[in-house]
Amino acid sequence: METKIVRLSSGEEIICKAEILDEGGTEFVKIKNPAILVPVGDGQLAFAPWVPYGDITSGLEIDMKFVVFIIKAQTELSNQYNETVGNGIVVPTSPQNPPLQFTGGS
């Protein structure tokens, strides 16, 4: 599973490990370790737990009819997510990309 940003029809943008699956003609996205992306001003982002009161450690399936888009997260965002929420694996960033600024985790 890759680190992706999933935008839901509700307007939420979730960063998570995601994969698209098809079972019996019904497409859905399976997500793990979701965190909501929260803009906090001055071009900064923060992560907040998404559905913190639910046990979704084995993953959660969302019907594609509720998904607006799914995109791969930028390397720096993916690294920050992995350090804060995910598996801790960090990929080196490219010197040609401008740095992103992050605020504290959840």
Side-chain angles (χ1 to χ4, degrees), residues 39-53:
V40 291
D42 296 327
Q44 296 182 334
L45 293 171
F47 301 122
W50 190 69
V51 191
Y53 40 81

Side-chain angles (χ1 to χ4, degrees), residues 26-48:
T26 302
E27 273 194 326
F28 59 92
V29 60
K30 183 171 184 175
I31 65 171
K32 290 186 178 183
N33 298 330
I36 192 164
L37 288 169
V38 181
V40 291
D42 296 327
Q44 296 182 334
L45 293 171
F47 301 122

Side-chain angles (χ1 to χ4, degrees), residues 3 15 17 33 35 47 74-93 100 102-106:
T3 303
I15 186 165
K17 298 295 183 184
N33 298 330
F47 301 122
Q74 290 181 343
T75 302
E76 284 189 65
L77 184 61
S78 180
N79 285 343
Q80 187 67 31
Y81 165 80
N82 284 333
E83 288 177 3
T84 307
V85 180
N87 57 17
I89 297 173
V90 175
V91 177
T93 58
L100 299 173
F102 297 95
T103 61
S106 55

